[in-house]
Amino acid sequence: MRTDIGSMYEQEIAEDLTALGEPPYRTAQVYRWVQSGVKSFDEMTNISKKLREKLVQNYQLFSATIEKKLVSAYDDTRKYLLSFPDGEAVESVLMKYHHGYTSCISTQVGCKMGCTFCATGQSGFARQLTASEMLSQLRTEQEDANIRISNIVLMGMGEPLDNYDNVIRFLHLVSHDKGMNIGMRHISLSTCGVVPKIYELADLKLQLTLSVSLHAPNDQIRSRTMPINRRYGMQELLKACRYYIAQTGRRISFEYAMIDGVNDSPANAAELSRQLKGMLCHINLIPVNRVGGTGYHKSKQDRIRQFIAVLEKAGLTATVRRTLGSDINASCGQLRRAHQKEERT
Ligand code: SAH
Ligand code: SF4
């Protein structure tokens, strides 16, 4: 089988090309071409035909195909369903903010974690994405919208820390100065709380923002909506978060989906305050997006205001996340789910 060259580090390409008898200066050229997103080796115009032939024999270049695209009439948010050569598809969302474009990409096809409020969690797990497949989501969006992406959030389909090695590889490649050159400070990784991997990530001391999907003030509520909590409880998770802050010096962002009658009472807010007191963190409240069949509803506005007031009184900072693309159901997992249903009927 030919190797996925788009997922290889420069050093790995160097080792391979040396073994193929190529001089070292070729490596940087080939690496730059690959990371610029060429779709065929023939596009590498300053590489000899002989070497291009060798590359074709040994390596493969992957790109994504746009299966569906929804553009919001309100704010130009674009939601894509992108497929790969094996037919699997993931969602990515491109959002425009005042400081530039942010892309929300997927890290797995589906997810194993089974959170009860999440469309991706409800549709099961198909396979891991490679680093080059994560990169290709960004390139496809850039090409389609004719823009440059400046920020990335790993908040699409999948649990990034359940695909740890490929995600770390992606982070190094996307931030590399001969590649897309998007710095770690412009990247957020969101996790449901795979505790051992939070420790591993902390030890790498990358300057990325860690978002932790908390969604509950205690184990009882959290275990009901997020099965991962039965494996790694909240105290264990918060301990790992404190370690992450100590190692990296970076503030953690806690995601909290406000679900009517489930986790949104003033008492829930008070309990959450006690759990997070003194931590270098910010809380992002997200009125839960309705996913068919889950029976969950968004919290009422005044409930959210009350919740924030309790947190602020305890010295914590909380904001309600601005919703972009509300007319196109921009939260991830829903487009693929609809697509799967269409295919079945
Ligand atoms: N697996 C990772 C990242 C992908 S999910 C994680 O769980 O963190 C991205 C974010 O969307 C998470 O915070 C997740 O909890 C949240 N989310 C999932 N379904 C949602 C819904 N129906 N409404 C609001 N937020 C949701
Ligand atoms: Fe997976 Fe995140 Fe959805 Fe949970 S919320 S099922 S971890 S994608």
Side-chain angles (χ1 to χ4, degrees):
M1 216 174 77
R2 291 179 297 154
T3 311
D4 166 22
I5 195 168
S7 294
M8 289 171 76
Y9 292 134
E10 186 174 16
Q11 184 55 32
E12 293 169 335
I13 295 180
E15 282 162 18
D16 268 26
L17 292 191
T18 310
L20 288 173
E22 291 297 328
Y25 71 89
R26 282 276 175 239
T27 306
Q29 286 177 324
V30 171
Y31 179 75
R32 266 185 208 278
W33 277 117
V34 170
Q35 288 303 321
S36 76
V38 290
K39 296 194 175 82
S40 129
F41 292 104
D42 286 336
E43 290 175 49
M44 301 182 173
T45 47
N46 62 353
I47 305 291
S48 70
K49 191 151 186 279
K50 208 168 128 248
L51 176 54
R52 274 187 271 143
E53 277 164 10
K54 274 196 224 172
L55 292 174
V56 172
Q57 282 163 16
N58 291 283
Y59 304 103
Q60 226 168 334
L61 287 163
F62 288 101
S63 56
T65 306
I66 299 175
E67 293 293 334
K68 263 192 189 170
K69 178 169 81 173
L70 300 176
V71 183
S72 166
Y74 301 149
D75 52 33
D76 206 32
T77 297
R78 289 162 182 240
K79 180 167 180 171
Y80 297 89
L81 183 70
L82 303 175
S83 70
F84 299 110
D86 69 348
E88 294 292 357
V90 297
E91 295 178 25
S92 310
V93 182
L94 183 65
M95 295 159 286
K96 190 179 178 182
Y97 290 98
H98 58 274
H99 56 265
Y101 284 89
T102 296
S103 173
C104 173
I105 63 163
S106 295
T107 54
Q108 298 181 312
V109 184
C111 184
K112 296 177 203 161
M113 301 298 158
C115 303
T116 56
F117 46 79
C118 173
T120 306
Q122 301 307 301
S123 63
F125 175 80
R127 69 167 173 85
Q128 303 287 14
L129 290 185
T130 62
S132 71
E133 287 171 330
M134 294 174 220
L135 289 163
S136 71
Q137 295 172 56
L138 301 170
R139 294 194 193 108
T140 306
E141 288 176 337
Q142 290 199 152
E143 205 177 287
D144 181 70
N146 197 23
I147 49 94
R148 283 204 69 74
I149 290 164
S150 52
N151 292 271
I152 305 167
V153 294
L154 303 185
M155 287 194 185
M157 293 165 52
E159 167 49 49
L161 297 187
D162 186 42
N163 186 13
Y164 187 81
D165 293 345
N166 289 325
V167 165
I168 297 300
R169 194 170 265 279
F170 162 77
L171 292 172
H172 287 307
L173 290 170
V174 81
S175 58
H176 195 266
D177 57 4
K178 287 183 198 147
M180 290 184 82
N181 200 12
I182 300 175
M184 294 286 181
R185 287 176 186 279
H186 299 274
I187 306 175
S188 294
L189 184 153
S190 179
T191 180
C192 64
V194 185
V195 166
K197 295 296 175 188
I198 295 178
Y199 283 101
E200 271 188 56
L201 186 67
D203 288 338
L204 295 181
K205 299 192 177 186
L206 304 177
Q207 287 302 296
L208 52 84
T209 300
L210 185 65
S211 288
V212 174
S213 299
L214 206 54
H215 304 320
N218 58 43
D219 281 321
Q220 203 198 359
I221 299 177
R222 197 163 193 267
S223 292
R224 241 191 287 144
T225 51
M226 302 183 72
I228 182 95
N229 197 70
R230 294 174 215 149
R231 181 123 172 245
Y232 308 109
M234 237 173 107
Q235 297 319 315
E236 237 183 301
L237 172 58
L238 293 178
K239 195 171 158 200
C241 291
R242 289 192 190 94
Y243 182 78
Y244 187 89
I245 296 167
Q247 284 294 84
T248 62
R250 298 198 50 93
R251 184 173 87 159
I252 286 190
S253 173
F254 288 106
E255 309 294 309
Y256 197 102
M258 299 286 291
I259 313 176
D260 186 35
V262 173
N263 62 1
D264 65 343
S265 71
N268 295 150
E271 191 170 10
L272 182 66
S273 307
R274 287 194 293 277
Q275 301 275 14
L276 303 184
K277 209 169 176 76
M279 261 172 109
L280 183 62
C281 70
H282 179 82
I283 302 153
N284 257 324
L285 300 173
I286 316 143
V288 78
N289 274 299
R290 270 213 62 171
V291 172
T294 62
Y296 294 133
H297 298 274
K298 276 185 184 34
S299 302
K300 310 264 182 314
Q301 284 287 344
D302 60 332
R303 247 337 214 200
I304 299 177
R305 270 197 294 272
Q306 245 181 332
F307 202 90
I308 293 180
V310 174
L311 295 176
E312 285 181 344
K313 212 166 153 210
L316 292 159
T317 62
T319 44
V320 180
R321 189 190 287 162
R322 207 176 123 213
T323 42
L324 290 178
S326 49
D327 57 332
I328 56 168
N329 238 338
S331 84
C332 267
Q334 304 186 11
L335 194 60
R336 174 169 172 265
R337 206 162 169 233
H339 185 67
Q340 281 177 324
K341 278 189 189 149
E342 270 168 35
E343 281 185 338
R344 262 186 246 128
T345 51

